[in-house]
Amino acid sequence: MKKYDESSIKILEGLEAVRKRPGMYIGSTDKRGLHHMAWEIVDNAMDEVINGFGNKIIVTLNKDNSITIKDNGRGIPIGMHESGKSTPEVIYTILHAGGKFTSDGYKVSGGLHGVGASVVNALSSYMKVTTYHDGKIAEIEFENGGKVKSPLKILGNTNKTGTEVTFKADESIFKNARFSFTTICERLQESAFLVPILTIEVNDIEDDKHEIYHYEKGIHSFVEYINQHKTTLNDILTFNGKKNDINVEVSLQYNNSYNESILSFVNNVRTSDGGTHEVGFKTGITKAFNDYAKNNNLIKTKDGSFDGSDIREGLTAVISLKIPENLLQFEGQTKGKLGTPEARSVVENIVYDNVSFFLEENKEIALSIIDKAFKSKMAREAARKAREEARNGKSKKAIEKNLSGKLSPAQSKNPKINELFLVEGDSAGGSAKGGRNRKFQAILPLRGKVLNSQKASMSEILKNEELNTMIHTIGAGVGSDFDVKDSNYDKVIIMTDADVDGAHIQILLLTFFYNYMRGLIEAGKLYLALPPLYKIDYGKKHFYAYSDEELEEIKRNNSGKFSVQRYKGLGEMNPDQLWETTMNPDTRTLIRININDAALADRRVNILMGDKVEPRKEWINENVEFTLEDDYRG
Ligand code: 1YM
């Protein structure tokens, strides 16, 4: 039997604590948590490259669901600690609190909340670390959540350096321990944009899929990638500057769409909730355009100046800052918002100077963007006027009359609890109307296909009866005039049949909300209802199955005679069934729509709904299987 000394026991207790509460260390044990494990090791490799050691990272998804991450940095040192343990053993078994720091004071670790390699080990059924260091190849293996399987041993000599880590997530902790090639590729591609010297290779052995990412032009290429399938208005403008130790790099380009797509990063970590740097960027670019327009007599009156949102219509921008540790401040629950006050004016000045210079040098482009901003301003003012009229003017009655034929309102007028169901077709609308809790649930049936808003202008949207009714029902405006605070509903729930037509309507509606009511999605108020696919009757007992897997599971867990009913549409359910399975807050499953990755969402929506056919065909060919990933549920 092995003997454990006191320090070994402490270490095992530490790792055991991680296994007891994995969520505290990696957020969750679903698909997202699983991928956090990979990011943790990838970030260690990335830190090494950012520190100036090595330039290549290879990630391989193995057949047994394990993953291998390899870099060509210095390799983890192989010396012994006074505890008698080797350095790799210490790094992979002792819980480290913070990230690493470089000599120039930049915190480079993108590591999630300072979680370390040892956490990954604690949540793995197997782990192997191989280091190429000081002319030697050395290897250590762990099993069962970080227990040493074989201590560090020298395997031979080498003239290479680097680190290779393989781990297999513990299947008793993770519901599904299979990594997603697409998820890994998307995240690593982003890293490759941010670190131009880096080459990243991703391989999936089982499916024989391979990707290589390397972008010498950095965030310039990032903007090029986001706008790839769009019609653009200018050559990409890239500039950088440095003040007060804060390094700023910006790339931007306009396209002919109506949305803005701004992505920001601090020390190569995404700041998905923005912060002072984004505020500075927005102020700087708005000021540059307004000053240019004034100086060239394009704006006459004071209130003729543009709102920031007018200037940002069709703008794609990537902002990347490097901030030394002593100035770093993050805010918000997920720490995704930069708080550093200095960043605001530094970014604002650099953006103002560079954009002003660009406008002076590129008169024609300046005019075309300003023309677009003018149109945005007009549309915004028209939408606002329409909304004000809807609220009090003559047309209020007309709109209410129009709505009264369609909307079944809730009795409550409380926007904090009310739910709006957008239902496909009149017959399902009838079931929903009969089955709902009328106190707080309103039903709006949608007739026929929804207009594809990716290809429509604001005035076409406002003329479309279906969308117009929806806009007035929600009551919070549309486009740049949209303000989620005015929404009449806490939840807007899209409820369609579980078939191809239903999926199409979902996509059209999601496209509309994404383009014209993005604030609703950002506030977490847009949902998809999840109706069951089957009803299974075992005499008196009955079950609902929401997927084929669930159907099989129900059949496995029950014995006796049964009959299965496949629901083809919502209309086939009687009101009680629809309430029980899909609408009752206590028993239903809703899928909350989020914009996890604005750039990716933008790209997807554009590929799927935009005016170029080729990229859509290509995408559909490459992604034939349409699946719903766990992490979008909740
Ligand atoms: C595939 C994962 O972990 N590479 C890696 C890690 C480290 C070093 C080099 C390294 C760092 C230093 C000195 C130093 C280390 N990480 C840690 C810890 N790839 C991968 N490559 N020599 C080598 O920071 O001074 C310690 S060493 F603790 F952060 F995990």
Side-chain angles (χ1 to χ4, degrees):
M1 210 181 93
K2 269 193 210 153
K3 265 213 204 135
Y4 291 106
D5 62 21
E6 204 177 325
S7 78
S8 305
I9 289 168
K10 280 229 173 75
I11 288 167
L12 289 175
E13 278 172 0
L15 297 181
E16 193 50 40
V18 176
R19 290 173 68 80
K20 276 202 183 112
R21 291 200 171 70
M24 282 201 19
Y25 297 86
I26 52 157
S28 59
T29 54
D30 57 9
K31 260 198 137 116
R32 182 164 300 154
L34 175 75
H35 288 85
H36 277 186
M37 302 260 283
W39 311 147
E40 206 48 62
I41 304 300
V42 167
D43 285 344
N44 284 342
M46 205 82 77
D47 285 355
E48 187 66 359
V49 175
I50 292 166
N51 276 327
F53 304 100
N55 57 7
K56 182 150 192 177
I57 296 175
I58 304 172
V59 176
T60 306
L61 309 190
N62 305 308
K63 280 189 179 167
D64 65 351
N65 283 357
S66 68
I67 185 170
T68 302
I69 297 141
K70 185 175 182 177
D71 68 52
N72 62 348
R74 288 167 291 179
I76 294 175
I78 52 180
M80 299 302 273
H81 271 233
E82 29 202 273
S83 62
K85 294 180 172 61
S86 64
T87 303
E89 183 176 337
V90 170
I91 290 173
Y92 278 83
T93 57
I94 297 180
L95 297 174
H96 298 267
K100 297 186 292 179
F101 298 93
T102 58
S103 48
D104 60 2
Y106 285 117
K107 182 177 187 298
V108 289
S109 176
L112 279 143
H113 325 298
V115 171
S118 54
V119 168
V120 178
N121 198 8
L123 300 175
S124 295
S125 54
Y126 174 75
M127 182 174 239
K128 179 168 87 176
V129 180
T130 313
T131 166
Y132 301 72
H133 184 90
D134 253 359
K136 303 240 165 13
I137 309 173
E139 174 190 287
I140 181 167
E141 288 177 291
F142 306 90
E143 61 187 356
N144 290 328
K147 299 193 176 74
V148 177
K149 183 180 181 204
S150 83
L152 193 76
K153 57 175 182 262
I154 309 287
L155 296 182
N157 298 323
T158 180
N159 54 13
K160 296 200 187 86
T161 62
T163 306
E164 177 176 322
V165 175
T166 297
F167 71 88
K168 187 165 164 26
D170 194 324
E171 276 164 8
S172 69
I173 295 171
F174 293 91
K175 289 176 210 131
N176 176 356
R178 182 155 180 77
F179 289 98
S180 150
F181 183 71
T182 311
T183 304
I184 302 240
C185 283
E186 283 165 359
R187 155 95 187 220
L188 293 189
Q189 183 180 26
E190 189 172 292
S191 299
F193 283 125
L194 294 167
V195 186
I197 60 155
L198 180 60
T199 300
I200 303 183
E201 214 181 287
V202 189
N203 305 298
D204 182 333
I205 303 293
E206 173 133 25
D207 295 344
D208 196 21
K209 290 191 279 198
H210 310 273
E211 293 286 349
I212 293 182
Y213 303 111
H214 176 67
Y215 302 101
E216 266 166 41
K217 289 188 181 170
I219 61 170
H220 180 101
S221 305
F222 203 160
V223 169
E224 183 173 68
Y225 174 77
I226 297 170
N227 276 347
Q228 194 181 4
H229 300 302
K230 294 179 186 161
T231 307
T232 55
L233 305 187
N234 63 297
D235 288 343
I236 298 170
L237 170 64
T238 300
F239 53 86
N240 56 56
K242 184 173 178 162
K243 209 185 161 195
N244 297 344
D245 272 347
I246 296 178
N247 213 313
V248 181
E249 211 189 334
V250 175
S251 258
L252 61 89
Q253 185 181 42
Y254 281 87
N255 62 61
N256 72 346
S257 82
Y258 302 99
N259 11 80
E260 63 177 83
S261 185
I262 299 174
L263 288 182
S264 64
F265 298 85
V266 172
N267 298 348
N268 301 314
V269 180
R270 180 75 155 267
T271 35
S272 41
D273 301 324
T276 50
H277 54 334
E278 275 194 24
V279 173
F281 172 82
K282 289 176 180 174
T283 318
I285 194 166
T286 308
K287 220 164 142 239
F289 270 97
N290 271 323
D291 285 0
Y292 179 85
K294 269 178 215 144
N295 294 340
N296 290 278
N297 286 323
L298 301 169
I299 300 178
K300 304 264 156 23
T301 58
K302 190 169 179 295
D303 65 332
S305 62
F306 298 111
D307 264 23
S309 62
D310 300 329
I311 300 295
R312 296 194 300 276
E313 200 178 89
L315 174 66
T316 296
V318 176
I319 306 161
S320 175
L321 267 70
K322 301 281 169 15
I323 304 182
E325 169 65 16
N326 61 328
L327 292 179
L328 261 191
Q329 247 172 271
F330 287 103
E331 293 171 352
Q333 248 183 345
T334 52
K335 301 282 167 210
K337 187 172 179 182
L338 183 69
T340 307
E342 297 90 332
R344 186 187 158 138
S345 58
V346 171
V347 177
E348 182 182 326
N349 291 333
I350 291 170
V351 169
Y352 178 82
D353 290 349
N354 283 279
V355 173
S356 296
F357 183 78
F358 172 82
L359 295 176
E360 293 298 343
E361 297 285 301
N362 298 275
K363 198 169 168 144
E364 225 167 280
I365 293 165
L367 291 180
S368 74
I369 299 170
I370 284 174
D371 183 53
K372 192 173 160 64
F374 259 122
K375 287 186 182 136
S376 157
K377 188 173 152 69
M378 303 306 258
R380 180 166 52 82
E381 279 164 5
R384 181 180 297 154
K385 224 165 129 194
R387 185 146 70 115
E388 270 160 18
E389 274 177 25
R391 211 173 273 152
N392 32 47
K394 278 184 281 183
S395 52
K396 183 177 159 110
K397 279 216 173 74
I399 287 163
E400 274 174 3
K401 187 152 171 275
N402 183 318
L403 281 184
S404 73
K406 299 170 184 159
L407 177 74
S408 305
Q411 286 166 346
S412 149
K413 292 281 164 269
N414 185 352
K416 287 207 176 74
I417 61 161
N418 279 5
E419 300 179 345
L420 175 67
F421 282 84
L422 304 171
V423 186
E424 171 186 1
D426 277 332
S427 82
S431 282
K433 202 176 151 186
R436 69 181 167 143
N437 181 335
R438 58 179 61 244
K439 272 207 187 100
F440 65 97
Q441 292 181 324
I443 310 293
L444 182 66
L446 301 172
R447 298 185 180 100
K449 284 274 153 72
V450 178
L451 179 75
N452 181 355
S453 60
Q454 190 81 3
K455 295 179 188 166
S457 70
M458 179 67 108
S459 66
E460 287 170 301
I461 302 271
L462 293 174
K463 270 187 236 139
N464 179 270
E465 193 173 319
E466 225 63 67
L467 293 180
N468 206 6
T469 307
M470 222 162 66
I471 294 165
H472 284 299
T473 305
I474 294 169
V478 62
S480 51
D481 181 48
F482 181 82
D483 189 345
V484 71
K485 285 200 283 301
D486 294 335
S487 170
N488 291 326
Y489 300 93
D490 179 55
K491 292 187 173 69
V492 174
I493 302 166
I494 300 170
M495 187 159 77
T496 61
D497 292 342
D499 61 8
V500 178
D501 282 342
H504 193 193
I505 292 173
Q506 275 182 10
I507 292 191
L508 291 166
L509 284 173
L510 291 176
T511 304
F512 170 74
F513 284 110
Y514 180 80
N515 282 332
Y516 290 96
M517 293 196 188
R518 201 178 289 182
L520 196 74
I521 305 180
E522 284 164 352
K525 291 181 186 293
L526 184 66
Y527 298 81
L528 295 179
L530 197 63
L533 293 180
Y534 304 99
K535 184 177 183 209
I536 308 100
D537 276 299
Y538 282 88
K540 277 195 192 115
K541 268 201 304 189
H542 67 263
F543 301 90
Y544 294 101
Y546 294 81
S547 65
D548 289 318
E549 292 79 47
E550 248 181 284
L551 174 66
E552 291 312 313
E553 196 179 315
I554 290 165
K555 285 200 244 168
R556 264 200 309 278
N557 294 341
N558 291 278
S559 51
K561 263 174 59 177
F562 65 92
S563 66
V564 178
Q565 180 189 358
R566 166 84 159 95
Y567 289 121
K568 293 197 193 67
L570 297 167
E572 284 179 27
M573 272 182 264
N574 66 38
D576 287 348
Q577 288 173 336
L578 193 58
W579 163 255
E580 183 183 344
T581 59
T582 315
M583 299 179 76
N584 179 356
D586 295 333
T587 50
R588 72 188 177 193
T589 305
L590 294 181
I591 299 166
R592 177 184 269 160
I593 305 300
N594 60 31
I595 307 181
N596 239 332
D597 184 333
L600 184 68
D602 194 57
R603 213 179 137 77
R604 285 265 168 85
V605 168
N606 189 59
I607 288 178
L608 289 172
M609 310 305 288
D611 43 16
K612 295 192 182 170
V613 179
E614 245 347 277
R616 174 158 52 244
K617 271 195 193 154
E618 225 169 78
W619 193 91
I620 290 171
N621 277 338
E622 280 168 21
N623 300 273
V624 273
E625 226 183 346
F626 290 86
T627 57
L628 198 64
E629 305 211 355
D630 307 359
D631 46 344
Y632 295 126
R633 296 188 181 209

